[in-house]
Amino acid sequence: MMPPPAPRPVRLARKTMPPWQLVPSLLAADFGRLAEEIAAAEAAGADRLQLDVMDGHFVPNLSMGPMVIAAVRRQTRLRLEAHLMVERPENWIAPAADAGADLIIVHQEATPHLERALELIQSRRLAAGVAINPATPAATLEQVLPYVRLVLAMTVNPGFGGQQFIAAVTGKIRALRRRLQAVNPACDIEVDGGIEAETLPLAAAAGANVFVAGTAIFAHSGGVAAGLAALRAALPRCARAPRRA
Ligand code: DX5
């Protein structure tokens, strides 16, 4: 018998920004050496890992599914976030949860039943995140902002790594952070797509605190540790120490 879902978190009084986090996206990793790439990211102090689940319908690409989430789960102690770039994500929440995801992000554009999808994630006692594409207004999230754990403001059109950062999204991030300070100050704002040493500060200045990067980490000429170190060096000064020894 499933326990009743945890009550929705009350509005937190904390008005401080949530902590900075660096999240490697495995989409850019070498899948022929995935265990090594995961170990390198973990050793270099990644805060968690992102797995980009794509169905070839919501985005024009096909990537990975619950089987890969489960394989990655067996390789690392890091928390795993499943970014569901799929139509009708409510159909993939249970498989992603069963495979070991700790945080599940669904796209506002992908379902007419966003509240039900987020409720389903929370009923599994997982962190629920909602993503919006560059052209989607922040106002579409007004009803869910008070209780989501994370808002992902996509800084590229989803589907592929290695794209250019869309700087116009920073205005939306700024508006989101202002709104969240009023209704859910502990909520993370995550950015994803084209995040590298030059663009990370732009997103941070606008109010993002979680930075997903694939190419900047796994295609860095100096390797994964150098890629993460370059992003950490680009963080605002107060946050540069890696979390793990
Ligand atoms: C794009 C994905 C991103 C991507 C990261 O749809 O959601 O996570 O893998 O992109 P880059 O390589 O630009 O960091």
Side-chain angles (χ1 to χ4, degrees):
M1 176 70 172
M2 279 287 290
R8 288 214 178 120
V10 293
R11 291 184 184 179
L12 293 154
R14 225 161 28 102
K15 294 288 186 194
T16 53
M17 276 272 286
W20 308 105
Q21 297 176 65
L22 296 177
V23 181
S25 163
L26 291 179
L27 189 70
D30 177 352
F31 271 64
R33 297 185 305 108
L34 193 54
E36 289 168 50
E37 300 267 68
I38 292 167
E42 183 165 3
D47 289 292
R48 62 172 179 267
L49 297 174
Q50 186 190 73
L51 294 104
D52 287 309
V53 179
M54 301 178 184
D55 66 356
H57 296 284
F58 181 70
V59 292
N61 196 2
L62 208 49
S63 63
M64 63 188 86
M67 191 176 66
V68 175
I69 298 175
V72 173
R73 180 69 287 161
R74 294 192 294 271
Q75 291 297 327
T76 180
R77 289 171 300 128
L78 286 177
R79 283 164 54 83
L80 304 181
E81 82 175 31
H83 176 194
L84 301 185
M85 287 168 275
V86 299
E87 286 180 352
R88 306 313 298 268
E90 52 269 25
N91 299 334
W92 291 99
I93 290 165
D98 293 343
D102 301 287
L103 187 158
I104 298 178
I105 302 170
V106 297
H107 270 260
Q108 181 277 342
E109 305 92 347
T111 174
H113 307 297
L114 179 60
E115 204 279 345
R116 178 184 294 149
L118 295 169
E119 190 65 43
L120 188 54
I121 297 169
Q122 291 184 328
S123 72
R124 294 296 298 260
R125 298 181 183 280
L126 300 178
V130 60
I132 45 176
N133 290 331
T136 303
T140 60
L141 301 181
E142 182 58 25
Q143 273 60 42
V144 300
L145 280 187
Y147 61 86
V148 290
R149 182 70 191 79
L150 175 141
V151 174
L152 168 48
M154 289 300 294
T155 44
V156 295
N157 292 293
F160 302 92
Q163 301 180 76
Q164 288 299 310
F165 176 82
I166 301 174
V169 176
T170 54
K172 175 167 36 171
I173 295 166
R174 206 176 298 282
L176 272 170
R177 180 55 74 192
R178 262 197 309 273
R179 188 67 187 129
L180 284 169
Q181 287 298 68
V183 301
N184 186 355
C187 182
D188 290 324
I189 296 182
E190 181 174 279
V191 286
D192 179 3
I195 298 299
E196 52 193 359
E198 294 70 34
T199 56
L200 185 152
L202 304 177
N209 67 295
V210 182
F211 307 94
V212 173
T215 305
I217 293 173
F218 293 107
H220 191 284
S221 55
V224 169
L228 269 163
L231 292 177
R232 195 169 288 118
L235 283 169
R237 193 167 305 285
C238 59
R240 289 186 181 165
R243 285 179 185 277
R244 292 173 184 77

